[in-house]
Amino acid sequence: MTLFKILFPIICITGIYFLFKSIGKIMEVYGGKKIEFPATSIMDQLELDAAGTFEIAYKRPSLTGIIPSDCHFKLKRHADQQELKVFNKVNLLGMRKDMSGSRVVPIAEFNLEQPGTYTLRMTESEDYKKGDKIQITAKTGSKGFIAIFAIIISAFATIGGLVLSILAFMNKL
Protein backbone atom coordinates (compact mmCIF):
# COMPACT_ATOMS: atom_id res chain seq x y z
CA MET A 1 0.00 0.00 0.00
CA THR A 2 2.79 2.38 0.87
CA LEU A 3 4.49 1.49 -2.40
CA PHE A 4 1.45 2.76 -4.32
CA LYS A 5 1.55 6.07 -2.41
CA ILE A 6 5.08 6.58 -3.74
CA LEU A 7 4.85 4.97 -7.18
CA PHE A 8 1.73 6.67 -8.54
CA PRO A 9 2.78 10.27 -7.68
CA ILE A 10 6.14 9.56 -9.33
CA ILE A 11 4.30 8.40 -12.47
CA CYS A 12 2.16 11.57 -12.39
CA ILE A 13 5.17 13.88 -11.99
CA THR A 14 7.11 12.03 -14.70
CA GLY A 15 4.08 12.33 -17.01
CA ILE A 16 3.90 16.10 -16.38
CA TYR A 17 7.62 16.47 -17.09
CA PHE A 18 7.42 14.58 -20.40
CA LEU A 19 4.19 16.38 -21.33
CA PHE A 20 5.97 19.74 -21.15
CA LYS A 21 9.02 18.36 -22.98
CA SER A 22 6.89 16.93 -25.82
CA ILE A 23 4.82 20.12 -26.14
CA GLY A 24 8.08 22.05 -26.42
CA LYS A 25 9.28 19.62 -29.10
CA ILE A 26 6.12 20.00 -31.17
CA MET A 27 6.41 23.78 -30.93
CA GLU A 28 10.00 23.47 -32.16
CA VAL A 29 9.01 21.22 -35.06
CA TYR A 30 6.05 23.27 -36.33
CA GLY A 31 7.19 26.71 -35.16
CA GLY A 32 10.12 27.03 -37.57
CA LYS A 33 10.60 29.63 -40.28
CA LYS A 34 7.74 29.80 -42.77
CA ILE A 35 7.60 31.58 -46.11
CA GLU A 36 4.07 32.42 -47.27
CA PHE A 37 2.76 34.12 -50.37
CA PRO A 38 -0.62 34.25 -52.14
CA ALA A 39 -1.46 31.19 -54.23
CA THR A 40 -2.57 33.44 -57.08
CA SER A 41 0.96 34.80 -57.60
CA ILE A 42 2.61 32.80 -60.36
CA MET A 43 6.19 33.60 -59.41
CA ASP A 44 7.87 34.45 -56.13
CA GLN A 45 11.42 35.08 -54.94
CA LEU A 46 12.56 32.94 -52.02
CA GLU A 47 15.48 33.56 -49.70
CA LEU A 48 16.30 30.19 -48.15
CA ASP A 49 19.07 30.33 -45.57
CA ALA A 50 19.61 26.61 -44.95
CA ALA A 51 20.17 23.47 -46.96
CA GLY A 52 17.87 20.47 -46.56
CA THR A 53 14.48 19.15 -47.59
CA PHE A 54 11.59 21.61 -47.77
CA GLU A 55 7.88 21.09 -48.25
CA ILE A 56 5.48 23.23 -50.21
CA ALA A 57 2.06 23.27 -48.59
CA TYR A 58 -1.26 24.69 -49.70
CA LYS A 59 -2.94 26.80 -47.02
CA ARG A 60 -6.68 27.42 -47.22
CA PRO A 61 -8.57 29.48 -44.62
CA SER A 62 -11.67 27.28 -44.72
CA LEU A 63 -12.49 24.03 -43.00
CA THR A 64 -14.20 22.46 -46.01
CA GLY A 65 -13.50 22.14 -49.69
CA ILE A 66 -10.98 20.28 -51.78
CA ILE A 67 -7.37 21.43 -51.68
CA PRO A 68 -5.96 21.82 -55.22
CA SER A 69 -3.26 19.20 -55.65
CA ASP A 70 -2.63 19.60 -59.38
CA CYS A 71 -0.15 22.45 -58.87
CA HIS A 72 3.16 22.12 -60.70
CA PHE A 73 6.24 23.97 -59.51
CA LYS A 74 9.56 24.96 -61.02
CA LEU A 75 12.40 26.08 -58.76
CA LYS A 76 15.39 27.95 -60.16
CA ARG A 77 18.56 28.97 -58.31
CA HIS A 78 19.60 32.58 -58.98
CA ALA A 79 23.36 32.02 -58.70
CA ASP A 80 23.69 29.77 -61.76
CA GLN A 81 20.11 29.64 -63.14
CA GLN A 82 20.01 25.89 -62.51
CA GLU A 83 16.54 24.38 -62.27
CA LEU A 84 15.95 22.08 -59.30
CA LYS A 85 13.49 19.21 -59.17
CA VAL A 86 10.27 19.72 -57.26
CA PHE A 87 8.40 16.50 -56.51
CA ASN A 88 4.61 16.64 -56.30
CA LYS A 89 3.75 14.61 -53.21
CA VAL A 90 0.32 15.19 -51.73
CA ASN A 91 0.47 14.13 -48.10
CA LEU A 92 -3.01 14.11 -46.60
CA LEU A 93 -1.66 12.50 -43.42
CA GLY A 94 0.57 15.56 -42.98
CA MET A 95 -2.45 17.89 -42.99
CA ARG A 96 -2.54 20.27 -40.05
CA LYS A 97 -4.30 23.38 -38.88
CA ASP A 98 -2.62 26.59 -37.86
CA MET A 99 -3.64 28.96 -35.07
CA SER A 100 -6.07 30.82 -37.34
CA GLY A 101 -7.93 27.60 -38.23
CA SER A 102 -6.58 27.37 -41.77
CA ARG A 103 -5.87 23.94 -43.24
CA VAL A 104 -2.30 23.34 -44.35
CA VAL A 105 -1.75 20.38 -46.70
CA PRO A 106 1.72 19.45 -48.03
CA ILE A 107 1.53 19.09 -51.82
CA ALA A 108 5.18 19.09 -52.97
CA GLU A 109 8.75 18.94 -51.73
CA PHE A 110 12.24 19.80 -52.89
CA ASN A 111 15.79 19.35 -51.69
CA LEU A 112 18.39 22.13 -51.48
CA GLU A 113 22.10 21.46 -51.43
CA GLN A 114 23.00 25.05 -50.60
CA PRO A 115 21.22 28.12 -49.24
CA GLY A 116 20.58 31.11 -51.47
CA THR A 117 18.02 33.01 -53.48
CA TYR A 118 15.57 31.02 -55.58
CA THR A 119 12.62 31.71 -57.86
CA LEU A 120 9.55 29.53 -57.51
CA ARG A 121 7.15 29.37 -60.45
CA MET A 122 3.84 27.59 -60.29
CA THR A 123 0.99 26.88 -62.65
CA GLU A 124 -2.25 28.78 -62.50
CA SER A 125 -5.33 26.88 -61.43
CA GLU A 126 -9.05 27.56 -61.50
CA ASP A 127 -9.35 25.96 -58.07
CA TYR A 128 -7.56 28.80 -56.25
CA LYS A 129 -9.80 30.78 -53.94
CA LYS A 130 -9.37 34.19 -52.39
CA GLY A 131 -7.15 33.95 -49.30
CA ASP A 132 -5.37 30.75 -50.37
CA LYS A 133 -1.63 30.77 -49.78
CA ILE A 134 1.42 28.71 -50.55
CA GLN A 135 3.59 27.96 -47.52
CA ILE A 136 7.19 26.76 -47.63
CA THR A 137 8.73 25.20 -44.52
CA ALA A 138 11.46 22.76 -43.63
CA LYS A 139 10.10 19.24 -43.93
CA THR A 140 9.12 17.80 -40.56
CA GLY A 141 8.78 14.18 -41.64
CA SER A 142 7.87 11.88 -38.77
CA LYS A 143 9.06 14.30 -36.05
CA GLY A 144 5.58 15.81 -35.69
CA PHE A 145 3.90 12.41 -35.45
CA ILE A 146 6.36 11.24 -32.81
CA ALA A 147 5.86 14.43 -30.78
CA ILE A 148 2.06 14.06 -30.91
CA PHE A 149 2.37 10.41 -29.86
CA ALA A 150 4.63 11.48 -26.95
CA ILE A 151 2.04 14.06 -25.85
CA ILE A 152 -0.69 11.41 -25.80
CA ILE A 153 1.41 8.90 -23.83
CA SER A 154 2.58 11.48 -21.30
CA ALA A 155 -0.98 12.81 -20.87
CA PHE A 156 -2.18 9.27 -20.08
CA ALA A 157 0.66 8.87 -17.56
CA THR A 158 -0.18 12.21 -15.93
CA ILE A 159 -3.91 11.57 -15.64
CA GLY A 160 -3.51 7.90 -14.69
CA GLY A 161 -0.85 8.71 -12.10
CA LEU A 162 -3.01 11.45 -10.59
CA VAL A 163 -6.15 9.32 -10.37
CA LEU A 164 -4.31 6.32 -8.94
CA SER A 165 -2.46 8.58 -6.46
CA ILE A 166 -5.77 9.93 -5.18
CA LEU A 167 -7.18 6.41 -4.88
CA ALA A 168 -4.03 5.21 -3.09
CA PHE A 169 -4.15 8.06 -0.57
CA MET A 170 -7.85 7.40 0.09
CA ASN A 171 -6.98 3.69 0.68
CA LYS A 172 -9.34 2.58 -2.13
CA LEU A 173 -6.75 0.36 -3.82
Side-chain angles (χ1 to χ4, degrees):
M1 211 54 157
T2 309
L3 177 67
F4 291 151
K5 290 182 181 180
I6 296 170
L7 180 66
F8 294 141
I10 289 173
I11 291 173
C12 180
I13 292 169
T14 305
I16 290 170
Y17 172 75
F18 283 112
L19 184 63
F20 282 115
K21 291 289 277 186
S22 53
I23 289 172
K25 184 66 176 175
I26 203 161
M27 288 171 56
E28 178 184 315
V29 167
Y30 289 119
K33 182 180 177 187
K34 295 178 177 87
I35 299 172
E36 281 188 10
F37 52 91
T40 54
S41 70
I42 298 171
M43 184 171 69
D44 203 48
Q45 298 256 341
L46 308 173
E47 186 67 39
L48 299 169
D49 55 358
T53 305
F54 291 84
E55 74 178 16
I56 301 173
Y58 198 90
K59 182 178 176 182
R60 179 165 278 176
S62 67
L63 297 174
T64 60
I66 297 172
I67 296 285
S69 60
D70 60 343
C71 306
H72 297 285
F73 300 95
K74 290 184 181 181
L75 187 67
K76 193 178 278 192
R77 186 172 34 226
H78 276 253
D80 56 2
Q81 296 299 314
Q82 180 183 0
E83 191 169 309
L84 302 168
K85 289 192 174 197
V86 179
F87 303 99
N88 285 1
K89 286 187 171 181
V90 178
N91 182 5
L92 295 176
L93 295 176
M95 184 178 81
R96 55 195 178 271
K97 297 196 185 312
D98 64 2
M99 295 300 284
S100 66
S102 298
R103 287 183 301 153
V104 180
V105 178
I107 57 173
E109 65 182 46
F110 59 92
N111 193 9
L112 292 183
E113 297 172 1
Q114 59 188 352
T117 305
Y118 295 85
T119 301
L120 181 70
R121 289 179 172 255
M122 50 190 233
T123 57
E124 287 189 57
S125 175
E126 300 170 359
D127 298 331
Y128 294 157
K129 292 185 179 178
K130 184 178 179 182
D132 289 356
K133 293 183 179 181
I134 298 295
Q135 184 180 79
I136 299 174
T137 59
K139 187 171 179 181
T140 58
S142 63
K143 294 177 202 170
F145 177 75
I146 292 169
I148 290 170
F149 189 67
I151 288 173
I152 292 169
I153 296 297
S154 55
F156 277 131
T158 301
I159 294 169
L162 179 65
V163 169
L164 291 173
S165 294
I166 293 169
L167 290 175
F169 280 107
M170 293 176 60
N171 295 322
K172 299 285 183 179
L173 288 178

